[in-house]
Amino acid sequence: MAEVRVCSASDVPAPGALQVMVAADGGQEVPVAVVRSSSGDLHAIGDTCTHQQVSLSEGEVEGEQIECWLHGSLFDLRTGAPDSLPAITPVPVYTLRLDGDDVLVDVARPAPTAIIQS
């Protein structure tokens, strides 16, 4: 599957996150958090905490991390790596591209780093 428009960049709070559902191959929808870091960078990561399966987009954004609201795990927005317990498994990071104000994400191509400067 190719890039899909998921939202407008102006829809994403600064700092903060917006949950979007992205259609993947096979018709399955993938929950993605489009996140604006404290520095203004946009990121696309899997929206499900790998510890307790809750939405990360409901958590707080501080610097280049998002905090899971349930147990406080921190995830690096650039790599998806957990930076604190109790999570020990990374979340996927997806390629994100801006086309004007449109945010495009490709869930078929997880990326080791996907950062867009605003």
Side-chain angles (χ1 to χ4, degrees), residues 4-5 7 16 29 57 78-79 94 106:
V4 176
R5 181 192 182 279
C7 65
E29 287 199 326
S57 60
R78 299 161 294 194
T79 66
Y94 301 109
D106 187 348

Side-chain angles (χ1 to χ4, degrees), residues 77-96:
L77 296 170
R78 299 161 294 194
T79 66
D83 289 337
S84 68
L85 296 172
I88 58 172
T89 305
V91 294
V93 174
Y94 301 109
T95 301
L96 182 150

Side-chain angles (χ1 to χ4, degrees), residues 4 8 15 41 44 68 75 80 108-109:
V4 176
S8 295
D41 296 337
C68 178
F75 292 90
R109 294 183 333 168

Side-chain angles (χ1 to χ4, degrees), residues 5-20:
R5 181 192 182 279
V6 297
C7 65
S8 295
S10 57
D11 294 337
V12 184
L18 176 69
Q19 182 192 63
V20 296

Side-chain angles (χ1 to χ4, degrees), residues 43-102:
H43 306 265
I45 64 169
D47 189 42
T48 306
C49 179
T50 56
H51 172 248
Q52 284 290 310
Q53 308 298 303
V54 297
S55 175
L56 289 174
S57 60
E58 296 177 29
E60 296 293 320
V61 176
E62 176 92 23
E64 300 298 323
Q65 297 176 315
I66 191 165
E67 180 180 24
C68 178
W69 61 269
L70 187 59
H71 292 117
S73 292
L74 295 170
F75 292 90
D76 188 302
L77 296 170
R78 299 161 294 194
T79 66
D83 289 337
S84 68
L85 296 172
I88 58 172
T89 305
V91 294
V93 174
Y94 301 109
T95 301
L96 182 150
R97 184 173 69 84
L98 284 177
D99 183 10
D101 191 49
D102 293 335

